[in-house]
Amino acid sequence: MFEINNAKIDVQGERLLSIGRLSIQSVKTIALIGRNGSGKTTLFNYIFRNRDKIAGCNRIELVPQIKEKDTGRSGGENTKSYLQQSLHKNARIMLLDEPTTHLDEKNVQWLINKLKRSPGIKIIASHDRHFINQIADEIWSIENRGIKVYPGNYDKYREIKEHEIKRQQDEYKQYTAKRKHLEKAITHKVNRSSNINRPKNKQDSDFRQTGAKPYFNKKKKKMEQVASSMKTRLEQLEVKEKPFEEKSIHFNTGHIEEMGNRIIFKLEAEDVFVNDKLLIKGAKLYIRAGEHIAVTGPNGSGKTTLFNHLENKYDDETLSIGYFHQQLESLENDKTILENIMNTSMYDETTVRTVLARLAISGDDVYKPVSITSGGERVKVQLVKMMMSEAAVLLLDEPTNFLDIHTIEALEKMIREYPGTILLISHDRMFRDNVADTTYSIKNQLLNENIEIRGKNEREDNLMIIETRITEVLSKMSEGTTAELDQEFQKLLRQKKDLTDS
């Protein structure tokens, strides 16, 4: 049982969240989404502090987003260690704050499998849409300082949101058409009323003097009444706000078009090392101007080293390369967001501000010094700085870390529109699928192009059905187990093992 009633959550005297009622009546997995700074972590801390009141028990586990660093472990190893310890406790309610951070795809899949088998309520804040699609029964979206509940996974949430946007657009179109019609009709009636007592000619004037004037006065009054009634209808018309429309971005392609379709990166059976350690053996890679390429592989396989190798190899060429990495050394902390970008921009301020607005940095925020911006904002500034520069090639190493889902989707659209060459490293599978034309993977010290044959996979379909049924059985068992349920659970586990091993 989980229930929040009439909660007001303030931060430094400012209202961050107002929650009327939130409840979970059965075992399920909730995905909590919202923009950076909207209150996801604050909500988790509130739930954990008030766990006795909200959950009626102390069996609640919080896995924080910021974890204590272990110098002997990588970021992925440290994250997995935290998750293993927490999952082992079998808490009745688990709060997981960005649990996939630093995890490679293999470990993300490990976490998905663990969560599906884990009984109890799970509330997970995440920006990984593929991950959410695999585990979520329900979406909690932080909107307008409140929480709106959507059934299903992220794909279902997007479908509902798209319908909402389409409905808002239709309502606004109908509103503007009706308003325009009424305004035109009022103007027409007012004009007719003003002209009704004006004689058209001498004969008409004589006719009015013979006693017809009261008739025209009455007609004028009636028209004024109709016009007044229309004005009232116009004033009472429910106002519909115009839905937000993104301004289009026109990238400068002159310096990119000069490159044509020629090969700009070429590796021919080259070995890639880091500190004399061989990471990639005999790498072959041919990349043409304008291609969008993704590179994947387990943590430590050599993805970043490959990017460094390419940058060093072509450093003396005329090729202009922009390299995004998490250190963000190219930003000047004492300068504003706008100054940092305009310093190397080949675009005017209006275009730069349009691109920043796409990533939710607008208005006076562009004048904030970089020194006081959040980690997510700095990532956005660095990305915009690179895309607005004269660079014809972008190397993007995990650009979506610290970005919320809405910003990731905006970035996807910008990358698809970008005419230059892009190489990216990302553990975000959906992000890669949406922006890359081709994907290469590093495995067992070999760099290979991924060639996927998409089609119906009966084994995967059956595995999904079994995992769904396992979740349902675990939900029932959490309320009280029986011999029949235990037998079915064991049978399902055997079926899953047979499919996994096949």
Side-chain angles (χ1 to χ4, degrees):
M1 178 67 180
F2 175 101
E3 191 166 349
I4 299 176
N5 286 305
N6 299 319
K8 310 293 182 186
I9 304 175
D10 298 333
V11 174
Q12 295 180 346
E14 183 178 347
R15 183 60 41 86
L16 187 63
L17 285 171
S18 295
I19 302 172
R21 184 173 185 272
L22 272 180
S23 69
I24 307 172
Q25 301 296 331
S26 59
V27 172
K28 64 172 61 174
T29 302
I30 310 292
L32 177 66
I33 65 173
R35 291 193 177 277
N36 292 339
S38 61
K40 299 185 292 294
T41 297
T42 302
L43 176 61
F44 276 0
N45 291 332
Y46 173 85
I47 292 171
F48 192 71
R49 287 196 309 270
N50 296 278
R51 53 191 178 276
D52 287 335
K53 181 180 177 182
I54 291 172
C57 71
N58 280 312
R59 288 183 58 199
I60 185 166
E61 183 74 11
L62 171 62
V63 180
Q65 179 179 358
I66 307 299
K67 304 165 182 68
E68 291 182 14
K69 291 184 178 180
D70 185 334
T71 54
R73 291 173 172 162
S74 68
E77 290 171 335
N78 199 36
T79 296
K80 187 170 182 178
S81 176
Y82 262 86
L83 291 168
Q84 285 174 322
Q85 293 174 29
S86 299
L87 289 166
H88 184 69
K89 295 177 182 178
N90 288 323
R92 183 174 158 189
I93 297 174
M94 290 194 68
L95 308 174
L96 305 174
D97 196 352
E98 298 292 355
T100 63
T101 301
H102 303 303
L103 294 183
D104 57 26
E105 287 189 69
K106 181 179 178 181
N107 282 313
V108 170
Q109 190 58 52
W110 164 83
L111 178 58
I112 289 170
N113 294 336
K114 283 287 187 181
L115 290 172
K116 285 182 176 180
R117 291 193 296 268
S118 174
I121 294 169
K122 282 89 65 180
I123 306 176
I124 304 170
S126 177
H127 64 260
D128 188 327
R129 293 158 295 172
H130 175 73
F131 172 69
I132 293 174
N133 272 338
Q134 300 301 307
I135 53 94
D137 303 305
E138 192 170 276
I139 302 289
W140 287 1
S141 174
I142 298 180
E143 303 173 13
N144 301 318
R145 300 188 181 183
I147 295 180
K148 192 171 180 180
V149 178
Y150 296 84
N153 62 11
Y154 188 77
D155 282 347
K156 182 64 178 177
Y157 160 80
R158 285 301 310 161
E159 181 184 335
I160 294 171
K161 294 299 287 185
E162 285 167 8
H163 280 302
E164 286 181 358
I165 292 170
K166 179 65 168 58
R167 177 179 53 77
Q168 289 170 1
Q169 290 171 339
D170 290 343
E171 287 180 350
Y172 181 74
K173 187 176 180 179
Q174 292 171 7
Y175 161 73
T176 53
K178 193 167 186 179
R179 183 178 184 87
K180 188 175 180 180
H181 172 74
L182 283 171
E183 288 173 341
K184 186 176 180 180
I186 291 168
T187 301
H188 178 68
K189 291 293 183 186
V190 169
N191 288 340
R192 285 193 63 190
S193 173
S194 300
N195 294 328
I196 203 165
N197 278 334
R198 294 179 184 174
K200 298 176 183 177
N201 48 46
K202 186 177 185 305
Q203 184 180 359
D204 185 29
S205 177
D206 293 341
F207 172 70
R208 291 170 185 268
Q209 296 299 322
T210 61
K213 191 172 184 179
Y215 164 78
F216 287 101
N217 287 340
K218 186 176 180 182
K219 192 173 182 180
K220 175 180 169 59
K221 187 176 181 180
K222 187 174 182 180
M223 285 188 181
E224 289 173 345
Q225 289 174 340
V226 171
S228 177
S229 176
M230 287 181 174
K231 286 179 182 178
T232 301
R233 285 171 58 192
L234 182 62
E235 291 167 357
Q236 293 176 345
L237 198 62
E238 184 181 356
V239 176
K240 299 292 182 181
E241 296 295 332
K242 184 177 182 179
F244 173 76
E245 293 181 3
E246 286 183 340
K247 293 182 179 178
S248 59
I249 301 170
H250 300 288
F251 284 103
N252 189 322
T253 60
H255 64 305
I256 294 171
E257 288 173 354
E258 293 174 1
M259 302 172 70
N261 192 38
R262 67 182 175 89
I263 293 174
I264 56 173
F265 282 143
K266 181 190 294 183
L267 299 182
E268 295 185 296
E270 295 183 28
D271 293 337
V272 179
F273 294 85
V274 60
N275 299 327
D276 297 325
K277 179 183 178 183
L278 179 64
L279 291 182
I280 307 173
K281 186 189 305 178
K284 293 183 180 180
L285 185 65
Y286 305 92
I287 297 175
R288 294 186 180 275
E291 285 191 292
H292 291 181
I293 305 295
V295 180
T296 70
N299 292 335
S301 61
K303 300 183 295 295
T304 298
T305 304
L306 174 63
F307 275 24
N308 293 336
H309 181 84
L310 288 170
E311 186 189 35
N312 292 333
K313 180 175 180 176
Y314 290 91
D315 185 44
D316 296 329
E317 302 285 330
T318 57
L319 195 62
S320 176
I321 300 174
Y323 193 168
F324 171 89
H325 35 75
Q326 295 296 341
Q327 285 72 30
L328 308 178
E329 292 100 337
S330 68
L331 296 181
E332 299 180 64
N333 287 334
D334 60 329
K335 287 185 166 40
T336 67
I337 289 173
L338 191 59
E339 287 171 338
N340 264 277
I341 297 168
M342 292 303 297
N343 188 43
T344 57
S345 176
M346 60 185 296
Y347 297 85
D348 59 27
E349 182 178 326
T350 299
T351 304
V352 169
R353 291 181 71 121
T354 297
V355 175
L356 283 169
R358 284 243 192 134
L359 302 182
I361 299 177
S362 59
D364 290 340
D365 285 346
V366 302
Y367 301 118
K368 286 198 304 188
V370 165
S371 59
I372 65 169
T373 57
S374 66
E377 285 175 322
R378 293 189 188 204
V379 169
K380 296 175 189 179
V381 175
Q382 176 70 8
L383 287 167
V384 174
K385 182 180 176 69
M386 288 174 52
M387 297 185 85
M388 297 286 97
S389 72
E390 293 185 356
V393 179
L394 302 183
L395 304 179
L396 308 179
D397 191 349
E398 293 293 353
T400 62
N401 282 355
F402 306 111
L403 299 182
D404 58 63
I405 285 179
H406 304 83
T407 303
I408 291 172
E409 291 180 338
L411 178 61
E412 281 177 354
K413 189 173 181 181
M414 287 168 55
I415 289 178
R416 288 196 299 268
E417 294 169 348
Y418 185 74
T421 307
I422 292 179
L423 280 76
L424 70 92
I425 298 168
S426 179
H427 291 313
D428 188 324
R429 178 173 170 179
M430 190 175 290
F431 176 72
R432 288 198 319 265
D433 289 346
N434 287 340
V435 301
D437 306 313
T438 307
T439 301
Y440 287 83
S441 63
I442 302 172
K443 188 175 182 181
N444 299 325
Q445 295 186 322
L446 297 176
L447 175 68
N448 293 302
E449 180 180 348
N450 288 359
I451 301 175
E452 295 185 11
I453 301 175
R454 298 185 183 274
K456 185 172 178 63
N457 189 324
E458 187 175 347
R459 175 179 167 278
E460 290 296 326
D461 289 346
N462 289 336
L463 191 60
M464 182 63 71
I465 292 170
I466 290 172
E467 288 178 340
T468 301
R469 183 56 189 157
I470 287 174
T471 302
E472 294 172 353
V473 172
L474 283 171
S475 177
K476 292 179 181 179
M477 291 175 71
S478 68
E479 299 171 2
T481 187
T482 64
E484 290 79 7
L485 282 174
D486 187 59
Q487 288 175 4
E488 183 178 3
F489 180 64
Q490 296 302 325
K491 179 181 177 182
L492 288 167
L493 289 181
R494 287 194 297 272
Q495 290 175 342
K496 181 177 178 179
K497 186 177 186 303
D498 292 340
L499 279 173
T500 304
D501 294 342
S502 63

